[in-house]
Amino acid sequence: MAQLSFNLDDKVFVVTGGSRGIGLEITRLLLNQSARVVICGRKQEGLEAAAAAFKADDRLKTVQAHVAKSEEVDRLFQTTIEAFGRIDGLINNVGMNIATSLVDADPGLWNKIIDSNLNGAFLCARKAGQLMRGQKKGKIVSISSIAARRSAPFMGIYGVAKAGIEMMTKVMAQELAPLNIQVNAVAPCMVRTKFSEPFWSNADLYEQIVKTVPLGRIAEPVDVAWPVLFLCSEASDFITGQTLMVDGGASAV
Ligand SMILES: NC(=O)c1ccc[n+]([C@@H]2O[C@H](COP(=O)([O-])OP(=O)(O)OC[C@H]3O[C@@H](n4cnc5c(N)ncnc54)[C@H](OP(=O)(O)O)[C@@H]3O)[C@@H](O)[C@H]2O)c1
């Protein structure tokens, strides 16, 4: 795997939620391909830990920003342009969930989950699209979930938000195609990160989950990061408006 190259030399990417989990792994692969990367997260200590882990000062910038706050999103992209002069790709990676049944969900909780998962992705894609428009080139990749297509009790708001991301991906892909900007998504099954730890760390639950995955395991962050890298590269220039399932075959069953 180490010799695989997507030729991202000096290209500039924004990875939202790049301080941990899947976003951190995407950042690692982008830096390994000689790209320049700006990551955001809400907590400064997470950003500092990521920066310290990579020791890539000149090619990695961190910005403390909440993706659902438009002024903070503006600052994220302004910092990117000031630091690196352009933006070649956005990876809309931020996501969170708080399990709740739909009928019992407080409207405030609905707003919080939709804000972080969908509104944030929209604000970032909108800003990135506006900047890429002038360049007539760019890639927008969002992280959806198998939950966008497979309904599951207590995952309803999250599933609605991810389904929204997939429709946003298709519409933006059409709108931006004349400008040579490709817009795609990847939809993982369970991935071994902090986000899903309560599930995979429980042996009984883990056993139940992997029974639904033909490849017989959950995903590791790198399983998601490689397909994202492909969708960020010129190798995928004729692919747009798609959601690539990264689910060990679960959706094929
Ligand atoms: N793990 C899974 O099983 C799984 C499965 C399918 C899809 N996904 C999707 O994959 C993506 C990444 O998930 P993950 O498992 O890597 O999650 P994670 O380990 O919880 O990491 C989330 C990252 O996003 C940041 N973040 C969270 N809310 C934010 C906000 N409002 N604004 C800015 N940054 C924010 C976090 O940093 P701070 O806490 O400092 O903000 C962290 O860097 C998400 O979209 C998730 O829905 C995950």
Side-chain angles (χ1 to χ4, degrees):
M1 272 200 309
Q3 76 276 21
L4 192 59
S5 172
F6 289 111
N7 190 22
L8 299 175
D9 280 10
D10 282 336
K11 297 220 162 160
V12 178
F13 293 90
V14 170
V15 182
T16 69
S19 61
R20 195 171 71 224
I22 297 167
L24 185 75
E25 196 58 33
I26 293 167
T27 301
R28 183 192 318 282
L29 295 195
L30 288 170
L31 290 171
N32 285 349
Q33 300 291 328
S34 306
R36 296 174 285 174
V37 186
V38 180
I39 61 173
C40 81
R42 292 164 304 176
K43 298 186 203 87
Q44 187 60 27
E45 61 269 28
L47 294 167
E48 281 168 13
F54 290 131
K55 299 189 184 73
D57 283 353
D58 53 335
R59 289 193 292 118
L60 178 68
K61 301 274 174 239
T62 65
V63 177
Q64 192 174 6
H66 189 304
V67 289
K69 297 185 177 166
S70 65
E71 64 287 357
E72 297 189 15
V73 169
D74 287 350
R75 188 163 45 74
L76 168 64
F77 285 91
Q78 193 186 330
T79 305
T80 303
I81 298 300
E82 280 169 11
F84 298 134
R86 55 181 290 114
I87 172 168
D88 297 290
L90 162 69
I91 294 93
N92 258 331
N93 166 73
V94 163
M96 54 75 76
N97 188 35
I98 296 165
T100 175
S101 77
L102 281 174
V103 285
D104 290 326
D106 178 84
L109 182 58
W110 171 280
N111 289 339
K112 185 181 164 92
I113 298 172
I114 297 289
D115 251 357
S116 289
N117 289 286
L118 181 58
N119 294 346
F122 160 68
L123 289 174
C124 292
R126 170 181 171 272
K127 197 75 198 171
Q130 288 169 359
L131 292 167
M132 289 169 184
R133 192 157 51 189
Q135 302 170 180
K136 292 210 164 30
K137 200 171 169 59
K139 303 276 187 182
I140 297 174
V141 182
S142 299
I143 313 297
S144 178
S145 163
I146 197 166
R149 295 149 188 235
R150 183 172 285 183
S151 59
F154 311 110
M155 299 281 282
I157 306 175
Y158 178 74
V160 167
K162 293 299 192 182
I165 282 192
E166 294 191 13
M167 180 52 77
M168 181 180 83
T169 296
K170 290 197 231 183
V171 176
M172 272 197 151
Q174 289 190 60
E175 292 175 353
L176 296 176
L179 300 166
N180 191 30
I181 297 164
Q182 290 83 32
V183 188
N184 291 293
V186 301
C189 62
M190 187 162 291
V191 188
R192 194 185 305 277
T193 68
K194 187 176 174 206
F195 173 93
S196 53
E197 191 171 359
F199 299 95
W200 54 257
S201 63
N202 176 313
D204 292 338
L205 276 179
Y206 181 84
E207 206 178 310
Q208 282 178 39
I209 291 160
V210 296
K211 276 189 191 146
T212 68
V213 182
L215 286 177
R217 63 175 176 86
I218 64 168
E220 301 298 329
V222 73
D223 291 315
V224 182
W226 277 124
V228 169
L229 220 69
F230 166 66
L231 291 172
C232 286
S233 77
E234 290 178 358
S236 61
D237 274 358
F238 204 55
I239 299 174
T240 198
Q242 304 303 310
T243 296
L244 178 59
M245 304 305 293
V246 183
D247 64 357
S251 57
V253 176

